Amino acid sequence: EFDAFCDEFLLEYFSDDASVWNVFTIDSSAFGYVRPADYVPSWYYYEAYTEEDFKEIYEYYKEYKEDLTAFDTSNLSYTQEVSYDVIYSILESGSRYYNADKHFNPLMEIDYIDQFGGYVADFCDTVENYNFYSKQDIIDLIELTKSTDESFATYITFVKDKYAAGYAYSEFTVKEM
């Protein structure tokens, strides 16, 4: 039952993110992942969140955390304990970050965008660590690369939104973004 929960969580958490499936698994179908026929991968992009978005995401983390903590950990194997701890850490971190009742500032650290790399640097890391198991992996990496033309441009919008909200930005930050 716990292993099934872990697989379900992985399916839900990785969603249809081709780069994550590629880098962290060899055979995504072993976890039950079925790629949608019309799926075209794209890189992450900036989109402003609302307080309702934060609440919805927080509920997602909260519900999964409740399901996880309902397991009797005394019967788990060592590898299951490791899985439990990793999933708990992900859920705890997400719950803290997206707790809109305690804090809500959609422009602070949103979508991991900053002048020191953020998703731009992550793209370089992904390319460096990308695995080619099949022809589809090559096609996916080409699509991810093409999509950065649009997604990277949204990071400039992020800087503009933060600047408009009164956050100070140095020339260095703007230039690096």
Side-chain angles (χ1 to χ4, degrees):
E1 187 178 347
F2 180 74
D3 289 342
F5 172 85
C6 290
D7 286 351
E8 176 193 318
F9 176 77
L10 194 65
L11 284 168
E12 186 76 24
Y13 196 70
F14 283 7
S15 188
D16 285 331
D17 192 329
S19 64
V20 173
W21 281 109
N22 176 276
V23 172
F24 291 111
T25 67
I26 293 172
D27 179 11
S28 59
S29 66
F31 298 93
Y33 177 69
V34 178
R35 181 188 179 105
D38 61 347
Y39 174 67
V40 177
S42 64
W43 195 246
Y44 311 103
Y45 60 95
Y46 164 67
E47 179 178 48
Y49 288 145
T50 66
E51 191 167 354
E52 286 304 312
D53 294 331
F54 260 60
K55 288 179 180 179
E56 184 178 316
I57 296 168
Y58 173 76
E59 285 300 315
Y60 164 86
Y61 282 106
K62 181 181 164 197
E63 288 172 18
Y64 257 105
K65 190 174 168 186
E66 288 169 357
D67 292 345
L68 177 68
T69 57
F71 282 100
D72 178 6
T73 57
S74 65
N75 297 323
L76 298 180
S77 69
Y78 175 74
T79 55
Q80 288 174 323
E81 287 177 8
V82 171
S83 296
Y84 182 98
D85 291 345
V86 168
I87 293 172
Y88 185 88
S89 176
I90 291 168
L91 296 173
E92 180 66 16
S93 175
S95 295
R96 278 195 318 270
Y97 182 78
Y98 289 103
N99 190 341
D101 291 337
K102 290 191 176 183
H103 62 83
F104 172 70
N105 187 338
L107 295 174
M108 291 305 296
E109 300 178 28
I110 193 165
D111 288 333
Y112 187 52
I113 299 169
D114 65 31
Q115 74 270 24
F116 300 108
Y119 280 144
V120 175
D122 277 356
F123 180 76
C124 297
D125 290 342
T126 296
V127 170
E128 182 178 336
N129 294 300
Y130 212 81
N131 300 294
F132 299 106
Y133 303 115
S134 68
K135 181 179 177 180
Q136 187 61 54
D137 292 323
I138 296 167
I139 294 167
D140 287 350
L141 184 57
I142 291 168
E143 290 301 320
L144 284 168
T145 303
K146 289 184 344 189
S147 73
T148 60
D149 191 41
E150 181 181 321
S151 68
F152 284 8
T154 67
Y155 305 159
I156 299 300
T157 303
F158 172 76
V159 170
K160 289 178 180 177
D161 287 352
K162 282 189 85 168
Y163 181 77
Y167 292 91
Y169 272 98
S170 66
E171 285 294 320
F172 171 81
T173 300
V174 174
K175 182 177 181 230
E176 292 303 306
M177 285 292 290

